[in-house]
Amino acid sequence: MIKKWFKKIGPGTLIAAAFIGPGTVTLCTLAGVNFGFNLLWAMLLSIIATIILQEMAARLGIISQKGLSEVIRQEIKTPYLKQFITILILSAVVIGNASYEAGNISGGILGLESIFGNYNFSLGANTFNLMSFLIGIIAFLLLFIGNYKFLEKALISLVLLMSVSFVATAIITKPNILEVLKGLLIPKFPEKSILTIIGLVGTTVVPYNLFLHASLVKERWHKKEDLKFAKKDTIISIILGGLVSMAIIISATAIQTSDVSNAADLAKGLAPLYGEFAKYFMGLGLFAAGITSAITAPLAAAYVAEGCLGWSGGLKSKKFRFVWMTILFLGVLFSSVGIKPIEIIQFAQVANGLLLPIIAGVLLWIVNKKSILGDFVNSKTQNILGFIILIITIFLGVKGILKVLNFL
């Protein structure tokens, strides 16, 4: 039965597994610890936005049988505009994925350190985290060899274990249902919450997942009749992933401290269910989430570069490998130089939230072109929802920039 279930796993499940990474666990925990149920609405908004945007990306991939970046390169006819958009997208994805990769590796570090302790070494005046290199080496081997499907399934199983743990914990903590509903349905902006809100959006509506989804679905499905399967796969996977994120926020409200800096602190959210064993479940789950996401982020960046620059050769080509190696190297470097993993993860999610309006805007433009999608362009309802999401992401992005610049 489990083997049959794994065979039915579609790209939507992998997309959900990618956004339920260390960043999601960390940021949702911080949201629950610092703001209680008040930011659940942001997660609900993120789930709806993710379903709408990922469905567009999947539809584009199936109908055009091309990746998002490839379509963008082919559709922009003006040379200077093509160069500008290509550089913008490449820069956005490389910066975002490098930050996100650092967050993924840092999340894996949190998991390993909660079980095995800290392992650092000094080189001159600098101190480096040995765990960063270990996780980097594992991710490198899996990506270079390319035969990582079995391990990927095992890692997803570990992430699912952690997810079930949080859902069970959320139930065991017996939250006030009325307060939960208020948090879900009534938007609030508590003091100092704007960057956390942007982070919650950025950790769920991950910009690189839009490129990755479009590239993955065309490998799985090839006919317009397959759209219904892709849509079902997307909706179910993302809703389940979103429910897990909400459960993490709810269970984190039971943590009686605001000082969250390592996996042991995060594990307090699991304490009602597992007691002193919580840190081991959290450690394994964070490590699994970190490795799974550490594989998908460099791959997505390589797909984007391949499409934008018109490369051929696929996964084994030198250019393709160069891109993912660069992203992986930057992720290892950023995560090993002594910055607190929690801070890297938070920065990665905020960076994603700021990059999202750019990618969402380009996607909306593409899925309204009949020359690409024919009768499968966006409906009026889809466009209205898409533009509402775009406006909200621009609003949050501007507020985030102003906040970072200390203008608010």
Side-chain angles (χ1 to χ4, degrees), residues 306-341:
E306 183 183 54
C308 282
L309 302 175
W311 295 342
S312 59
L315 296 173
K316 302 291 185 180
S317 72
K318 292 181 179 179
K319 293 177 180 177
F320 193 92
R321 282 178 167 173
F322 174 76
V323 175
W324 66 250
M325 284 180 187
T326 301
I327 298 297
L328 181 59
F329 171 77
L330 291 174
V332 171
L333 181 64
F334 293 161
S335 65
S336 66
V337 293
I339 302 173
K340 283 187 178 181

Side-chain angles (χ1 to χ4, degrees), residues 215-286:
S215 295
L216 290 174
V217 292
K218 66 185 179 67
E219 303 295 333
R220 178 70 181 268
W221 293 298
H222 308 283
K223 300 177 293 184
K224 62 182 181 181
E225 289 79 14
D226 293 328
L227 284 173
K228 59 183 179 182
F229 301 117
K231 188 173 183 178
K232 181 179 179 181
D233 174 58
T234 300
I235 292 173
I236 292 175
S237 299
I238 292 170
I239 286 178
L240 290 176
L243 289 175
V244 170
S245 298
M246 288 184 181
I248 295 172
I249 294 175
I250 292 171
S251 61
T253 60
I255 299 176
Q256 301 298 316
T257 177
S258 59
D259 183 20
V260 177
S261 60
N262 54 52
D265 295 330
L266 294 178
K268 291 174 184 175
L270 285 173
L273 184 61
Y274 294 120
E276 64 179 15
F277 294 103
K279 70 175 183 178
Y280 296 106
F281 282 92
M282 174 62 75
L284 285 174
L286 273 175

Side-chain angles (χ1 to χ4, degrees), residues 1 14 37 41 47 71 104 118 154 230 245 278 323 332 352 360 393 408:
M1 181 177 175
L14 297 178
F37 304 126
W41 66 270
I47 295 166
V71 172
N104 294 331
N118 300 330
S245 298
V323 175
V332 171
N352 270 333
T393 57
L408 287 180

Side-chain angles (χ1 to χ4, degrees), residues 74-353:
Q74 292 179 354
E75 286 302 311
I76 300 176
K77 308 301 182 184
T78 308
Y80 292 111
L81 182 60
K82 179 184 289 190
Q83 278 188 334
F84 174 74
I85 294 295
T86 298
I87 291 172
L88 184 65
I89 291 175
L90 280 173
S91 300
V93 171
V94 168
I95 293 170
N97 279 30
S99 300
Y100 202 77
E101 185 69 353
N104 294 331
I105 294 172
S106 295
I109 292 171
L110 288 178
L112 290 178
E113 287 183 345
S114 70
I115 299 174
F116 301 108
N118 300 330
Y119 288 89
N120 298 318
F121 71 93
S122 297
L123 189 63
N126 299 310
T127 301
F128 298 91
N129 193 314
L130 188 61
M131 295 295 189
S132 294
F133 295 95
L134 175 61
I135 292 173
I137 290 170
I138 293 172
F140 176 88
L141 291 174
L142 294 176
L143 284 165
F144 190 84
I145 296 170
N147 185 21
Y148 58 85
K149 288 188 178 296
F150 173 77
L151 182 56
E152 183 181 59
K153 290 174 183 177
L155 292 171
I156 289 175
S157 298
L158 286 170
V159 174
L160 286 173
L161 171 64
M162 182 184 65
S163 301
V164 170
S165 298
F166 270 117
V167 172
T169 302
I171 295 171
I172 289 173
T173 56
K174 297 179 180 179
N176 185 313
I177 301 301
L178 182 60
E179 292 299 317
V180 170
L181 290 175
K182 284 182 180 179
L184 272 174
L185 303 176
I186 303 175
K188 294 180 182 178
F189 293 84
E191 187 179 354
K192 298 182 180 180
S193 67
I194 187 63
L195 291 183
T196 303
I197 292 171
I198 295 170
L200 288 174
V201 174
T203 192
T204 309
V205 196
V206 183
Y208 81 71
N209 272 348
L210 297 172
F211 291 93
L212 188 61
H213 205 173
S215 295
L216 290 174
V217 292
K218 66 185 179 67
E219 303 295 333
R220 178 70 181 268
W221 293 298
H222 308 283
K223 300 177 293 184
K224 62 182 181 181
E225 289 79 14
D226 293 328
L227 284 173
K228 59 183 179 182
F229 301 117
K231 188 173 183 178
K232 181 179 179 181
D233 174 58
T234 300
I235 292 173
I236 292 175
S237 299
I238 292 170
I239 286 178
L240 290 176
L243 289 175
V244 170
S245 298
M246 288 184 181
I248 295 172
I249 294 175
I250 292 171
S251 61
T253 60
I255 299 176
Q256 301 298 316
T257 177
S258 59
D259 183 20
V260 177
S261 60
N262 54 52
D265 295 330
L266 294 178
K268 291 174 184 175
L270 285 173
L273 184 61
Y274 294 120
E276 64 179 15
F277 294 103
K279 70 175 183 178
Y280 296 106
F281 282 92
M282 174 62 75
L284 285 174
L286 273 175
F287 173 71
I291 289 290
T292 304
S293 299
I295 292 169
T296 56
L299 270 182
Y303 275 126
V304 171
E306 183 183 54
C308 282
L309 302 175
W311 295 342
S312 59
L315 296 173
K316 302 291 185 180
S317 72
K318 292 181 179 179
K319 293 177 180 177
F320 193 92
R321 282 178 167 173
F322 174 76
V323 175
W324 66 250
M325 284 180 187
T326 301
I327 298 297
L328 181 59
F329 171 77
L330 291 174
V332 171
L333 181 64
F334 293 161
S335 65
S336 66
V337 293
I339 302 173
K340 283 187 178 181
I342 293 290
E343 293 174 356
I344 295 176
I345 291 172
Q346 284 183 287
F347 172 77
Q349 306 315 320
V350 172
N352 270 333

